[in-house]
Amino acid sequence: MAAGPGAVSSQGLYRRLVRADRSGQSKPEQQQVARNGLRHLAANGLQAVGDQVVNARTVLPWLLSALGAPGALIALLVPVRESGSMLPQAWLAPVVERRARRAPLWVLGAAGQALAAAGMGLAAATMTGVAAGLVLVLCLALFSLARALCSLAGKDVLGRTVPGGQRGQINGLVTVAGGAVAITLGLVVRGLGDVGAVAPLAALLAGAAVAWVAALLVYRRIEEPVEEVSARGAARGDEQPARGEGQEGGLARSWRLLRQDPVLRHFVVVRSLLLVSALSPPFVVALAAEREGSALAGLGSFVIAQGVAALIGGRLFGRLADRSSRTLMAAGAGAAALVVLAFLALLAVPAARDAMLLYPAAYLLLALAHTGVRVARKTYVVDIAEGDRRTDYVAVSNTAMGVLLLVAGAVSGGLAVLGAEAALGFLSGLGLLGAVLGRRLPEAREEAATQTRGAP
């Protein structure tokens, strides 16, 4: 089918947004990449809108507190959100690999997230206390399981429809969009103050559900390569699973891959050490709350800081990730560790400890480092392998990270009994080690090329 004016317009817009060497692509190929790239941007941008509302580090803890839910349920939010989206991926990987087309799986995951967000909004609007907390945590668990499917299928679809050298920029642009939403949400939250904020947040959760519905409608139009889909369908169409293959496709297979693949094992170790940028910010928020109280306006400052970090770092880090995601990962971990150490040093100075600007500033720098780490690791795992090996890498690394996140969270949570400062000191040590080991990872595209040459 001949490309119409819309395709040309899409290509021009995509060229402005994503810089790349396209000399090896024909004009029809460039047009198809542009269409797919813009659909990735739109769908994931809409997902980023929802993510800023269904936020287990900022919005949801405050909402549960306002609803009178017990602290034990609030403490479950981050582990359920993060581990719940990672742990199932080893089991989901065989399901994804049996599908010739993976975009419909992302659509299914987006539908699950929409239902979960709608359930949270309904619970917030109609329930209080323990009941509201239980329903919200259960909905968050459903949300995380659906997100696991999106994570696994989405990285594979991106790798199949957008060439290397452009994927990091797409991830970065999505991060920028999320940052803009976060700033807007933060300003709204600051304007709400302390009175009557539960109903507006319930409405925002309903709006997040609508955003995921819009995202799935966009994503379902992504064009996966016909040749690759047809080849895989022909290759797998008549295959029957061997006895025990289901078990091998789960934990046993993940363990085997971790033992036998040194690059994957190295990446998982480094990624676990990158948790300094993910787990440190809540402790900064907690220390601020001890001094300022839990006023909603104070929460807004941290939401805005998160958005500013995404706006500043999203596109910049996307381009840096396309150059060397390995270097960006290592630099982000090191930067986060240094920010934490500087923050701890300032806390030892009474005048600095009482300065409320210290806390949002530290959060902003940590969020900026985490933006770089997040864009880098997502780009690295997409670029480092091709085909089903990429699916395996995403699934196994995420499942391993789900376990390691629970371990790191338990250790830092235990140390927090001694004070948030003790937990931050532990996390800064992880980050410094991650920066050292991250530099020893192979460059992603070089490793992918080596695997391709070595394939039979």
Side-chain angles (χ1 to χ4, degrees), residues 362-425:
Y363 189 96
L364 172 62
L365 293 175
L366 284 172
L368 192 60
H370 184 61
T371 299
V373 165
R374 186 168 178 270
V375 170
R377 67 169 173 76
K378 290 172 71 174
T379 303
Y380 189 88
V381 77
V382 172
D383 284 348
I384 200 171
E386 301 291 337
D388 285 340
R389 182 179 288 270
R390 179 192 294 122
T391 306
D392 290 337
Y393 271 33
V394 172
V396 175
S397 64
N398 281 352
T399 299
M401 278 306 302
V403 176
L404 293 171
L405 179 66
L406 289 175
V407 173
V411 173
S412 59
L415 288 172
V417 174
L418 304 176
E421 294 89 344
L424 286 170

Side-chain angles (χ1 to χ4, degrees), residues 109-129:
Q113 290 177 91
L115 287 173
M120 292 181 202
L122 182 62
T126 61
M127 306 171 75
T128 59

Side-chain angles (χ1 to χ4, degrees), residues 288-304:
E290 290 178 4
R291 285 156 181 79
E292 189 178 357
S294 57
L296 187 56
L299 171 63
S301 298
F302 293 99
V303 176
I304 291 171

